[in-house]
Structure formats: structure tokens, C-alpha cells
Amino acid sequence: MKKTSKPKLSLLMVLGLSFTMVMSACGSSKDAGPSTEPTGTASNNGGSTATATEPAATPGSPLEEALQGKYKGTKVTMFGPFVDADQKKFESSIKDFEDKTGIDIQYEGSKEFEATINVRVDGGNAPDIADFPQPGLLASIAKTGKVVDLTKVLDQEKLKKNYNQSWLDMGTMDGKDGKIMAGIWNRSNVKSLVWYPKKQFEEAGYKVPETWDEMMALTEQIAKDGDPAWTIGIESGAATGWPGTDWIENIMLRTTTPENYDKWVKGELPFTSPEVKNAFELMSKIWMNKDYVYGGTKSIVTTAFGDAPKPMFENPPKAWFNLTGNFITSFFPETAKVDQDYDWFYLPPIDSKYGKPVLVAGDIYAMFNDRPEVRAVMEFFTTGESIKSWVQSGGVIAPMNDASLDWYTSESDRRMAKLVQDATTLRFDGSDLMPGKVGAGTFWKGMTDYVSGTATLDEALKQIQAGWNN
């Protein structure tokens, strides 16, 4: 969500979403702070499929010493947005580490994390580690000099082997006296996915498109067959509009350079620029065609994003495609089976020179207090083992290369993990990185006004851009 990532978090939580990742991508906390620095094009490091039995520790590192029992009896405090079911999954994922090391990770979850973390840091009561679902919020705190630079804490060569370079770039931010590694990524959400009713899709004789032109041709074919191909909803209460930002971000990554995407996120490439307007125009070829959208264009604004996929599960389907992050499966019918009743395909490239970019959201962990046991826990969080049980429970993608693909319980999740590992470029949900008055403000409203017909495209783009100027 621009957006499960954009609350978003707090708004999405109010809406009952249990996945904090979605918040970063979807929700209301975009006002958390400015964006991170530009990220570089990812290198393809591939992924390991070997199953680990314990975290891989660098010889002589704090993690190795912890596994030897050196820090038994110590405590490490952690604060984050995981509550309810997510908190239980998180605590389950760290239990084995706590048992092996004797380190007590005291986790505190809060639905008001975004507002509370600033107060605690400013008041000198920062936790040892904090989980930020939106890197923009961490970026604003990093500038104060209160975040520990992880280049001085973690083995950088090991990190380069275990993460696609884009993840490391996205964790590099402005510190008080220059660039620092402000955090490491532990959980990710994938947002370049088009969901479809697999069984009926195959029975209809349709083929998964490999290019944007093929997708548009299939969209037209489905319309000729009597159905709208797409089911789209951007209604989300106070956060209405955020699902549309995912579309624009995905298209931007497919039509211009990663550097331009970064400039756009930072406000250096205006919404009124040809690059951004082109992304809106390409989106409009689907959104503004009444034959392509279930319920017609105007239904987009009144349909809740969680309800949008429902027509795909009718028999026969009344619509066939829904572009949303992997958190959306929580809104699918409980009787629907992954890999059988539904599946996803990668939103195809538009211009082949930009490769296969992937839009992501996720959780980045930052360190505020530098002690040996805290270093050990941070090193643990850079390993796939730290999220293994959560991966096995479903609905989470590990950003680390040493996370075995065998851990995923569905072919859908395995393919998703491989997609992230093999991406030529990874970029974080852009609206989550923009200042809240833009990413969770004028961007949402401008999208809504444009689709509802109360503003022309040029008027909407100027309206969105005004958020940067106010």
C-alpha cells in the first residue's frame, strides 16, 4: 500500500490489516519522513536453496560468540509495529535464537509505532533495535546522528553476498556527518504482482503475458470475450487513493531509469515532468477504458481495495486481473487455494532496456545502542534463519539470499522469492518514501480526483506536485 506497505500503517491497522508490511506499502504513515537516498541498480546475486540449521556466523563475530553462549543472560530491547498475529509470528521466529544464545530479545509492539518512535528517540529512551516499516521515517531519524552506522558493526562483504545490492543501497541514508548504513532488511512484500483465477484462466485458454504489449492484447481479447479484464479498487477510508500509487510506481520503473525514479521520490523530478505524465497515461489506457475495468472507471474510487479481487472468484469469473502486493491474499476467499484456484504473474516490462524491476515494501531494522549482544542480534537478523519460521507460515518473503526456496510452502511464494532474488532492480514503494504531505497526501488525492473525473490529468499532476511546494 503504498501503500502493505502505505499507512498507512496506522490507517490500515484501523482497517483491520494485520500485516505491517502492507502499511508501509499502503498506508498512512507516509508522513513519517523524507525519502531515503537514491538507490542503485541491483546486481543479480542469485539465491541459495540450501537449508540452514543455524544462523551462518562470521568467525569471531558477535553472532558466533553469542551462539557460544558468551552473552547468555543479557537483554536486547526491540520496538516495532508487529502486533497481534504478526507479533506472535515474529516472536516464534526468534525463539530458537534466544534458546541457543541465552539472549532475551524483549519485543514491544505498537500500532502507534510511527508516532511513538520519534518521541522515544528524542527523549533518550530509544530501544536497542527498532523495526521501521517505512524507510522514510528511519531516514529522518538517521539525520539526527542517533542511529548506529552499521558499516562499523556488520561484515560488509558478508552482506554483499547475502543481499541483492539494491537492498543495501536502500539501507544507506544520510547521517549527521555523511552517508551511513542506517538499517538492514528482514522482511519484504512484493508489489509487482498481477493476481488471476488460475484454474478458469487456463480453462479459457488464456496465456500469461510476457510483455506489456501482450498484456494489453490479452486485456482487449478478454473484453471481446465479454468480460472486463481488470478489477481495481482504491477506496481505503482516509487512505483512499493509495493503491493507484503502486501502479504509477511500477510503470515508472518500467519506463525510465532507476535514477529518475529516485529523483522523483526525492522531489527532484516533478509530477508534471514528461516521465511521470507518461506513466499516468499508460495507466489510463486501462483505467479509463470502461470495457477493461469491472464496474467501469468510476467504480475504481468507490471499490475498497480488499473487495476488488472478489469478482475473480465468482464462477465464472467476472474479472480476471488484480494488481496488488502479496498481502492481498488475506482478502481472498478462505476456500480459495493458492497454485490451484489463483496465482500471479509478474507485471511485464514495458521497455526491455530497463530489465525486470521489482517494486517492494518491507521492514528495515535499525540499531540505536551499540553493545556486543545488540550487535549479535543485528547480525542474526541479516540471516535467512532469522525469518525461517515466518516464511514457512506463508505470506512473507525473505530478502536474504541464504533463505532457502525450500522453506516456502507454496509454489507461488517460491516464485515470488526467486523474483526478488533475480530482479535487475529493486525499488521501495515510492509514496512511502515521499514526505507525508505528498506520498500520503496530494498523491492519494490527486489520483482519486483524476479517476473520479473531478480533475483532468494535467490538473491532477499539478495538484500532486503542489504538495512538494507547500
Side-chain angles (χ1 to χ4, degrees):
M1 290 179 174
K2 296 72 281 0
K3 146 193 60 3
T4 217
S5 293
K6 287 173 173 190
K8 317 178 203 168
L9 182 68
S10 57
L11 288 175
L12 290 181
M13 282 295 190
V14 170
L15 294 172
L17 292 179
S18 65
F19 13 78
T20 59
M21 195 177 300
V22 175
M23 2 177 257
S24 339
C26 317
S28 64
S29 359
K30 300 199 154 183
D31 53 355
S35 69
T36 58
E37 284 303 304
T39 61
T41 300
S43 62
N44 178 1
N45 295 324
S48 168
T49 58
T51 301
T53 56
E54 69 176 24
T58 301
S61 71
L63 177 56
E64 183 184 62
E65 292 179 338
L67 292 169
Q68 293 172 351
K70 185 173 182 178
Y71 308 124
K72 184 177 181 179
T74 60
K75 298 178 181 179
V76 173
T77 60
M78 186 168 179
F79 183 48
F82 298 145
V83 296
D84 303 326
D86 275 350
Q87 179 168 345
K88 291 180 180 179
K89 290 182 178 181
F90 172 75
E91 291 174 342
S92 294
S93 72
I94 61 175
K95 185 178 185 305
D96 186 58
F97 171 83
E98 291 179 303
D99 291 342
K100 288 179 178 178
T101 64
I103 297 175
D104 180 12
I105 301 176
Q106 299 183 333
Y107 176 79
E108 176 188 357
S110 172
K111 294 182 180 180
E112 302 302 323
F113 169 81
E114 294 96 332
T116 307
I117 187 62
N118 276 311
V119 174
R120 291 186 57 171
V121 172
D122 291 344
N125 186 34
D128 295 325
I129 299 171
D131 167 17
F132 292 83
Q134 295 173 315
L137 176 55
L138 174 56
S140 65
I141 296 177
K143 292 179 179 178
T144 67
K146 297 179 180 180
V147 175
V148 175
D149 182 359
L150 298 181
T151 61
K152 302 175 181 179
V153 173
L154 300 173
D155 184 330
Q156 296 300 296
E157 290 305 312
K158 180 181 176 182
L159 290 180
K160 290 177 181 178
K161 292 179 181 178
N162 208 32
Y163 285 90
N164 182 309
Q165 183 61 40
S166 281
W167 288 114
L168 304 182
D169 293 340
M170 290 189 293
T172 300
M173 305 176 184
D174 283 333
K176 188 175 183 180
D177 301 309
K179 299 289 184 183
I180 67 169
M181 176 173 281
I184 48 92
W185 298 89
N186 187 259
R187 187 178 76 150
S188 65
N189 172 254
V190 187
K191 315 198 78 182
S192 298
L193 312 175
V194 179
W195 299 91
Y196 68 99
K198 180 180 176 67
K199 183 178 180 180
Q200 290 91 337
F201 185 85
E202 293 174 347
E203 290 175 348
Y206 298 138
K207 302 296 183 182
V208 170
E210 298 291 332
T211 68
W212 190 270
D213 287 343
E214 288 180 2
M215 187 181 76
M216 293 304 296
L218 180 55
T219 295
E220 176 62 20
Q221 180 60 53
I222 292 175
K224 289 180 178 178
D225 291 343
D227 290 324
W230 295 87
T231 175
I232 306 168
I234 65 172
E235 194 280 322
S236 186
T240 293
W242 73 256
T245 63
D246 282 351
W247 278 74
I248 298 302
E249 291 157 358
N250 268 298
I251 296 174
M252 283 288 289
L253 289 174
R254 288 159 175 74
T255 55
T256 190
T257 64
E259 291 75 20
N260 273 343
Y261 181 90
D262 298 331
K263 290 178 181 178
W264 173 56
V265 166
K266 294 176 64 181
E268 296 172 2
L269 182 71
F271 275 83
T272 52
S273 69
E275 292 87 351
V276 182
K277 183 175 182 180
N278 176 59
F280 274 82
E281 290 174 337
L282 284 171
M283 179 196 76
S284 299
K285 290 182 178 180
I286 294 175
W287 285 39
M288 299 304 186
N289 189 321
K290 62 181 179 60
D291 295 330
Y292 290 174
V293 179
Y294 180 77
T297 297
K298 291 190 176 180
S299 71
I300 293 174
V301 175
T302 58
T303 300
F305 73 90
D307 292 337
K310 290 182 178 179
M312 297 194 306
F313 295 96
E314 297 194 27
N315 191 15
K318 292 185 178 179
W320 298 82
F321 302 146
N322 179 257
L323 173 64
T324 321
N326 58 299
F327 64 86
I328 196 63
T329 58
S330 295
F331 294 90
F332 289 178
E334 293 183 1
T335 56
K337 297 180 180 179
V338 65
D339 298 329
Q340 297 180 36
D341 299 318
Y342 66 88
D343 201 351
W344 59 269
F345 62 82
Y346 169 71
L347 183 68
I350 297 175
D351 189 329
S352 60
K353 69 183 177 183
Y354 299 120
K356 295 187 68 174
V358 175
L359 184 69
V360 297
D363 295 84
I364 184 169
Y365 294 178
M367 178 176 169
F368 287 92
N369 299 308
D370 191 358
R371 303 190 308 278
E373 62 270 25
V374 183
R375 290 190 173 202
V377 174
M378 285 297 289
E379 186 179 346
F380 168 64
F381 283 141
T382 68
T383 68
E385 192 71 19
S386 69
I387 199 172
K388 180 178 179 179
S389 67
W390 206 334
V391 166
Q392 292 173 326
S393 71
V396 166
I397 301 300
M400 311 83 165
N401 292 332
D402 69 341
S404 172
L405 296 180
D406 294 336
W407 295 348
Y408 295 92
T409 56
S410 71
E411 180 60 24
S412 173
D413 281 353
R414 277 189 289 273
R415 290 172 48 231
M416 211 177 294
K418 193 71 166 61
L419 177 69
V420 172
Q421 290 178 354
D422 292 346
T424 52
T425 302
L426 289 168
R427 284 296 184 277
F428 201 89
D429 182 302
S431 63
D432 278 342
L433 297 179
M434 296 174 184
K437 61 185 179 181
V438 180
T442 57
F443 199 172
W444 294 354
K445 188 175 187 305
M447 292 286 304
T448 303
D449 289 349
Y450 172 53
V451 179
S452 65
T454 59
T456 65
L457 177 55
D458 286 337
E459 290 171 341
L461 294 175
K462 290 179 181 178
Q463 174 185 322
I464 299 171
Q465 183 60 29
W468 285 102
N469 304 326
N470 296 331

